[in-house]
Amino acid sequence: MSARDVATWKTITIGTFTDSLALRNELDSRGCSVGGQAAEILARPTFTISSRKTNVELVDLSPAQLGFSSDTVTLADVYARAQQLGFELAAAEVGPQLRLQYFDQPVGEFLVIGMEPIKTWSGEPIILNVANGGAGLILIGQDGRAEADVSVTSRFIFVRSHQPAASREPIGSVAAFLPP
């Protein structure tokens, strides 16, 4: 499997808010709950908002679809396999934007945002999860440590890259052809 074999699940728009406070206020005004860990990382300076409006194509994949067959796999392994297949990690903004742009989420669905973790004030790495646990639409945080175990049936949201595979090659391979 490669990225081109996977259909786009949903296209969302990022860069529609001036800052994270405006984004958080919109979540509140639209009735979307934000869990404690998610609220904490939305308030961190490392949580950034895109300065320009951009459409982002998302894919929805489980570790099992990525080829893992054990019951659980580490977050680092899921990310490595997804990137190896040509998917990109999502910007942190994708989590709250998806929450705002996905109001028909089925009850019982939890979507892990494949993103670089953001550390809480105490240094705990957290990633976001867009969920409908039955009590309403919510954005929650979850363990973002590289060694965190996740179920192979978990559903991850990654971004479809629009770069040709060749342009994602490591820069070092080009350096081999440059004169000394």
Side-chain angles (χ1 to χ4, degrees), residues 16 37 50 65 79 139 144:
T16 59
Q37 290 177 320
S50 178
Q65 289 172 294
Y79 283 10
L139 180 69

Short mmCIF file of all heavy atoms in Angstrom, two decimals, residues 16 37 50 65 79 139 144:
data_model
loop_
_atom_site.label_atom_id
_atom_site.label_comp_id
_atom_site.label_asym_id
_atom_site.label_seq_id
_atom_site.Cartn_x
_atom_site.Cartn_y
_atom_site.Cartn_z
N THR A 16 -8.32 29.49 9.54
CA THR A 16 -9.53 30.33 9.51
C THR A 16 -9.70 31.16 10.79
O THR A 16 -10.67 31.89 10.91
CB THR A 16 -10.78 29.45 9.31
OG1 THR A 16 -10.85 28.51 10.38
CG2 THR A 16 -10.73 28.72 7.97
N GLN A 37 -6.69 17.96 29.09
CA GLN A 37 -5.38 17.91 28.42
C GLN A 37 -5.42 18.65 27.09
O GLN A 37 -4.48 19.35 26.73
CB GLN A 37 -4.96 16.46 28.18
CG GLN A 37 -4.60 15.71 29.43
CD GLN A 37 -4.26 14.26 29.14
OE1 GLN A 37 -4.91 13.61 28.31
NE2 GLN A 37 -3.25 13.75 29.81
N SER A 50 -2.32 28.22 11.56
CA SER A 50 -1.82 28.60 10.24
C SER A 50 -2.22 30.04 9.94
O SER A 50 -3.34 30.45 10.23
CB SER A 50 -2.40 27.66 9.18
OG SER A 50 -1.96 28.05 7.90
N GLN A 65 -4.56 -1.41 9.09
CA GLN A 65 -4.51 -1.08 7.66
C GLN A 65 -3.09 -0.71 7.22
O GLN A 65 -2.76 -0.83 6.06
CB GLN A 65 -5.46 0.07 7.33
CG GLN A 65 -6.92 -0.32 7.41
CD GLN A 65 -7.81 0.90 7.28
OE1 GLN A 65 -7.80 1.78 8.15
NE2 GLN A 65 -8.56 0.96 6.20
N TYR A 79 3.46 6.09 13.38
CA TYR A 79 3.90 7.29 12.67
C TYR A 79 4.95 6.95 11.61
O TYR A 79 4.89 7.45 10.49
CB TYR A 79 4.47 8.32 13.65
CG TYR A 79 3.45 9.09 14.44
CD1 TYR A 79 2.10 8.77 14.45
CD2 TYR A 79 3.86 10.17 15.20
CE1 TYR A 79 1.19 9.50 15.19
CE2 TYR A 79 2.95 10.92 15.95
CZ TYR A 79 1.62 10.57 15.93
OH TYR A 79 0.73 11.31 16.66
N LEU A 139 -13.20 17.27 22.02
CA LEU A 139 -11.79 17.22 21.63
C LEU A 139 -11.03 16.87 22.90
O LEU A 139 -11.14 17.60 23.89
CB LEU A 139 -11.34 18.59 21.08
CG LEU A 139 -9.88 18.68 20.63
CD1 LEU A 139 -9.66 17.84 19.36
CD2 LEU A 139 -9.51 20.14 20.36
N GLY A 144 0.88 11.01 24.15
CA GLY A 144 1.61 11.22 22.90
C GLY A 144 3.06 10.76 22.96
O GLY A 144 3.86 11.12 22.11
#
